[in-house]
Amino acid sequence: MEETYKDRTSLVKGAKDIAKEVKRQAVKKVNKAVDKAQDGYTQRSYSRFQDEEDDDDYYVQGGHYSVEANDDEGSSEATEGHDEDDEIYEGEYQGIPNMGQGKDGMVALGQPMHDEYKDRHELETERRADEEELAQQYELIIQECGHGRFQWALFFVLGMALMADGVEVFVVGFVLPSAETDMCIPNSGSGWLGSIVYLGMMVGAFFWGGLADKVGRRQSLLICMSVNGFFAFLSSFVQGYGFFLFCRLFSGFGIGGAVPTVFSYFSEVLAREKRGEHLSWLCMFWMIGGIYASAMAWAIIPHYGWSFSMGSAYQFHSWRVFVIVCALPCVSSVVALTFMPESPRFLLEIGKHDEAWMILKQIHDTNMRARGQPEKVFTVNRIKTPKQIDELIEIESDTGTWYRRCFVRIRTELYGIWLTFMRCFNYPVKDNTIKLTIVWFTLSFGYYGLSVWFPDVIKHLQSDEYASRVKLFRNEEVSNFVFNFTLENQIHSSGEYINDRFVMMKFKSVTFEDSLFKNCVFEDITSLNTYFRNCTFVNTTFYNTDLEQYKFVDSDFINCTFFHIRTGCQISFDDDYSAYWIYFVNFLGTLAVLPGNIVSALLMDRIGRLTMLGGSMVLSGISCFFLWFGTSESMMIGMLCLYNGLTISAWNSLDVITVELYPTDRRATGFGFLNALCKAAAVLGNLIFGSLVGITKAIPILLASTVLVCGGLVGLRLPDTRTQVLM
């Protein structure tokens, strides 16, 4: 028995030398992925032995191995039926190795050294080599699958998710005035709604992007879109402002993962020559989302009659209907995503060869049937999978409580996302990450800053024009008169009103100053931006009005009575031209990016991503100087359309470059980080540019043009990815 074991040991030593030689020469690679989760300690080994002179049997005794030789075929029963050239066998010998056997017992004939005896640097080097080989092979496979029905179906499904992101950005600005009025929000808290949504999107982009690299693109997108749809729908019914902010925060958190996950997902099923063009076409759905939100706001919100109430505690106004309608693209994308498969490139990255192969075959067969070639066979048999570097985590499954296990699992996933994020700053993507950070920040700061500044300037011009048409009435004396018509944009100073009746009428932007009201009646009054300053009321009756205490500034009441005073905020868009105008301006500004989208899609693969990115940002910066001549509403709208049309090409090319510069295991994480930075820059731009409205034009113009030109020049320093396969 000892002699037998010595022969066995010497044979294993020889196998180790042969395995090293095979690895150095790279004659044959291991192409079969093993994806088995085992609870206890499992030793995998691949071996094949041929020994025509040895007919003895070896049995496992005290930690020894048992191998039954076969005289007729020269192979074990576990390998019976395999070809002579096949060198991959699983389960040839099993059992716990002898402690004294050392490394020799861990190596089988024709196989490399076991991963247990390699340091992490060596394992990562092998994984990078495998990933490079996979990148070349995967590009050939996608080309064989072709571009057809499957890609177009996925295009529209992911487009709905991207459309939902565009809707979320616009819905805040459209809902904000109505929601603030409906919920009686003071001016001190009015800015929270816009900021809280961007905060949620910023955190969500980073979290869902990292999760997409851990659990998969489809799974992450399904969860984040479901979160967005649920809280967006819920926000339309809540009454309190605090709960409304909470719902919009989580709605933004959910939709934040749409952009990084969608582009990572779609890029991994596109061939190199199709990638730039079709990712640019996909960007059009963001524009469609903006147009959809503008059109729905224009059609729904001003119709105050589209509302109902349940007592005095529950009010459902038209803007809430608009919020529900805006959640429809998100719901549609969630339903459609359930019928789509996971990204095969992601599955290969985590070692799931068989699942990836089945999905690639599905892509191939779907496209071939659509072309009328159902007989064409998918010829790929094996696909390279990168070496898997396992991380062992103790979760306390036996002794820990369920909430403890959940906490450890969540902490582990978050830590894994953080580690993946930190790898975005490792070689060889560190320089690219830094350059992309500068480009994303400058483009977002300039674009969102001016996008907020344009409408505010237009509203400021409207306000100045409206104020210039105000009518002044001084020292008027009116007695025994019935006012039953609308008073608008008027200032009444030092007047006397004796025995007058104000019945069934509206006050809109009316101010009474230093006036006397004696023996008057105010009945069924609706007011908007109306105030009584330093006025005196004597023997006056107020019945069924919305003239609350805050509308009387430094006024005196002598023997006056109030009946059925309507409290709370009143929404009214009757004859409100400005509401329609705001939606129309945003509609035109969003529609203006259509030519830029078409041009960028057609030229992305022809002139290159870098030329498109740098040229678009530089031209956008130069176009800012035309704002000096924007002295009217129509001219400012024209400048807005020009600016949006130029910047959209930069956004499209930046999206394409970002997904192409990051490897698969960090693609969504890197994109998510940059998208989160984009939202932070947007908030900063809104604050800075918004504070300069009505003060000066010089600072916004110089600031926007400077950051855009500098960002464009940095973008030209990025590597050209037009001819590269997806890393």
Side-chain angles (χ1 to χ4, degrees), residues 33 35 124 126-135 138 212-214 216-217 268 342-353 356 383-390 423 662-667 726-727:
D35 186 32
E124 290 178 349
E126 293 182 11
R127 179 179 174 84
R128 283 196 295 269
D130 292 341
E131 287 173 341
E132 292 176 1
E133 183 177 343
L134 170 62
Y138 189 81
D213 284 332
K214 299 282 290 182
R217 284 74 165 105
E268 292 170 356
E342 180 57 83
S343 165
R345 181 62 187 271
F346 169 78
L347 294 175
L348 289 171
E349 195 71 24
I350 62 174
K352 295 186 177 181
H353 173 277
I383 308 173
K384 184 68 178 179
T385 55
K387 180 178 290 294
Q388 302 303 305
I389 304 176
D390 297 328
R423 291 173 58 209
Y662 283 107
T664 303
D665 61 345
R666 281 163 279 180
R667 181 169 296 119
L726 206 61
M727 293 173 59

Side-chain angles (χ1 to χ4, degrees), residues 197-219:
V197 173
Y198 275 100
L199 176 63
M201 296 176 74
M202 179 174 63
V203 177
F206 182 80
F207 175 77
W208 298 113
L211 194 66
D213 284 332
K214 299 282 290 182
V215 303
R217 284 74 165 105
R218 174 182 175 272
Q219 188 73 6

Side-chain angles (χ1 to χ4, degrees), residues 323 413 540:
V323 172
E413 293 296 334
T540 300

Side-chain angles (χ1 to χ4, degrees), residues 52 54 57 87 99 110 112 120 137 237 282 290 311 335 381 425 453 460 482 500 508 567 617 624 641 667 673 692:
E52 297 179 354
D54 191 355
D57 296 336
E87 297 206 10
M99 297 300 295
R120 189 173 186 85
Q137 185 184 10
F237 294 96
L282 184 66
V335 174
N381 293 323
F425 293 91
W453 188 71
H460 183 73
V482 178
D500 293 328
K508 184 176 180 181
T567 60
M617 292 186 69
C624 292
C641 294
R667 181 169 296 119
F673 159 68
L692 299 173

Side-chain angles (χ1 to χ4, degrees), residues 153-319:
L154 186 62
F155 172 81
F156 286 105
V157 172
L158 297 181
M160 294 299 294
L162 201 59
M163 179 179 172
D165 181 83
V167 169
E168 187 74 18
V169 171
F170 284 91
V171 74
V172 176
F174 295 153
V175 164
L176 188 58
S178 303
E180 290 174 350
T181 305
D182 187 21
M183 297 180 181
C184 303
I185 303 166
N187 292 333
S188 59
S190 60
W192 277 102
L193 182 56
S195 301
I196 204 75
V197 173
Y198 275 100
L199 176 63
M201 296 176 74
M202 179 174 63
V203 177
F206 182 80
F207 175 77
W208 298 113
L211 194 66
D213 284 332
K214 299 282 290 182
V215 303
R217 284 74 165 105
R218 174 182 175 272
Q219 188 73 6
S220 177
L221 190 58
L222 266 174
I223 299 174
C224 76
M225 297 303 294
S226 299
V227 170
N228 170 250
F230 174 78
F231 283 100
F233 186 79
L234 183 62
S235 68
S236 65
F237 294 96
V238 300
Q239 295 295 302
Y241 186 56
F243 197 18
F244 182 76
L245 283 179
F246 175 81
C247 291
R248 297 314 301 185
L249 171 66
F250 276 90
S251 175
F253 173 73
I255 201 62
V259 172
T261 310
V262 161
F263 282 100
S264 299
Y265 193 172
F266 195 50
S267 66
E268 292 170 356
V269 295
L270 295 173
R272 177 177 53 194
E273 64 272 9
K274 298 284 186 180
R275 195 160 53 238
E277 176 184 353
H278 287 272
L279 285 176
S280 299
W281 289 124
L282 184 66
C283 295
M284 290 187 65
F285 280 94
W286 198 92
M287 174 204 69
I288 295 173
I291 294 175
Y292 174 81
S294 302
M296 292 299 101
W298 194 2
I300 296 175
I301 294 181
H303 295 280
Y304 184 66
W306 293 15
S307 62
F308 65 88
S309 61
M310 298 174 62
S312 60
Y314 190 86
Q315 302 289 329
F316 194 91
H317 296 301
S318 57
W319 67 267

Side-chain angles (χ1 to χ4, degrees), residues 470-485:
V470 66
K471 297 179 181 179
L472 299 176
F473 299 88
R474 296 181 182 275
N475 302 315
E476 62 179 350
E477 295 181 3
V478 182
S479 61
N480 300 312
F481 187 80
V482 178
F483 292 87
N484 56 3
F485 47 86

Side-chain angles (χ1 to χ4, degrees), residues 476 478-487 490 492 497 500-507 512 517 520-523 525:
E476 62 179 350
V478 182
S479 61
N480 300 312
F481 187 80
V482 178
F483 292 87
N484 56 3
F485 47 86
T486 299
L487 298 181
Q490 298 177 4
H492 298 262
Y497 305 90
D500 293 328
R501 292 176 59 86
F502 300 85
V503 182
M504 301 288 293
M505 64 175 298
K506 296 179 180 179
F507 292 104
F512 292 91
F517 295 86
C520 294
V521 175
F522 291 84
E523 184 177 354
I525 302 297

